[in-house]
């Protein structure tokens, strides 16, 4: 430990919101500048993938899309993980009183649900993690990896169905 901050941004950067450790202004800025940015975490404001590149199409990669470590797509360098999506979802719920955060949460749910269903409909897989590329086919884990379903569970929570 050298006293410096870790220079990379990942979905874990949003976890501070779960502890309500951010001011409203900082929370709004985090969502506007990072979560809803096609250059960083690729959640389109309406959850419709608008302006997302094919490289970061599905959104919420495990390292921001503009990071030099993103293109090689290592196991933890760019894949989309259900547990991260769920924890970001829980984090955003803590700032529900802010419209941009609430909208970002709804967009996150929409994109994660569509990601999970894309693999389910095409391969009948619930993946350990998902490739962030629009037409990505690689993923890891067995065909039915329990925490991969968290990408869909957040939509059920959002809709009050669970």
């Amino acid at each position: 430990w050298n006293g410096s901050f870790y220079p990379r941004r990942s979905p874990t950067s949003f976890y501070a919101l779960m502890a309500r450790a951010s001011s409203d202004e900082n929370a709004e800025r985090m969502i506007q500048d990072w979560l809803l940015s096609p250059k960083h975490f690729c959640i389109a404001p309406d959850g419709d993938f608008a302006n997302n590149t094919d490289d970061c199409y599905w959104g919420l990669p495990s390292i921001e899309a503009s990071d030099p470590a993103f293109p090689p797509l290592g196991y933890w360098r760019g894949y989309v993980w259900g547990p991260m999506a769920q924890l970001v979802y829980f984090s955003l719920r803590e700032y529900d009183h802010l419209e941009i955060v609430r909208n970002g949460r709804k967009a996150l749910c929409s994109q994660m649900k569509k990601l999970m269903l894309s693999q389910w409909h095409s391969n009948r897989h619930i993946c350990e993690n998902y490739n962030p590329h629009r037409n990505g086919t690689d993923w890891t884990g067995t065909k039915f990896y329990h925490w991969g379903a968290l990408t869909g569970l957040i939509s059920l929570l959002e809709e009050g169905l669970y």
Side-chain angles (χ1 to χ4, degrees):
W1 168 252
N2 64 9
S4 66
F5 286 105
Y6 185 68
R8 295 200 146 91
R9 287 181 273 294
S10 76
T12 62
S13 300
F14 297 103
Y15 297 176
L17 298 175
M18 195 176 342
R20 298 202 46 81
S22 177
S23 68
D24 286 356
E25 295 78 22
N26 284 341
E28 288 175 329
R29 199 167 69 230
M30 286 174 70
I31 303 313
Q32 182 63 51
D33 295 349
W34 297 99
L35 185 70
L36 300 179
S37 168
K39 294 179 183 175
H40 299 293
F41 291 102
C42 316
I43 299 298
D46 292 324
D48 58 1
F49 309 102
N51 298 318
N52 285 358
T53 66
D54 284 350
D55 286 340
C56 187
Y57 183 75
W58 297 105
L60 203 68
S62 54
I63 193 164
E64 69 175 303
S66 61
D67 191 294
F70 176 79
L73 284 179
Y75 189 66
W76 277 107
R77 291 186 180 163
Y79 281 79
V80 182
W81 293 77
M84 287 183 154
Q86 183 180 32
L87 291 171
V88 170
Y89 173 78
F90 289 156
S91 299
L92 300 177
R93 282 197 325 190
E94 293 300 319
Y95 287 79
D96 191 61
H97 61 283
L98 301 174
E99 182 178 12
I100 191 164
V101 178
R102 186 173 49 254
N103 291 343
R105 187 186 73 236
K106 291 176 185 298
L108 171 71
C109 289
S110 176
Q111 285 185 215
M112 293 297 102
K113 177 182 174 181
K114 290 171 186 170
L115 167 61
M116 186 193 77
L117 288 175
S118 75
Q119 284 299 313
W120 178 252
H121 291 306
S122 64
N123 301 310
R124 294 294 188 248
H125 294 162
I126 299 295
C127 306
E128 176 186 17
N129 55 54
Y130 300 87
N131 189 311
H133 296 303
R134 184 177 194 157
N135 296 314
T137 58
D138 56 324
W139 47 273
T140 62
T142 63
K143 293 179 182 177
F144 299 105
Y145 209 92
H146 61 288
W147 69 40
L150 296 174
T151 55
L153 177 65
I154 61 175
S155 290
L156 297 175
L157 295 171
E158 184 67 18
E159 294 167 15
L161 299 173
Y162 183 79

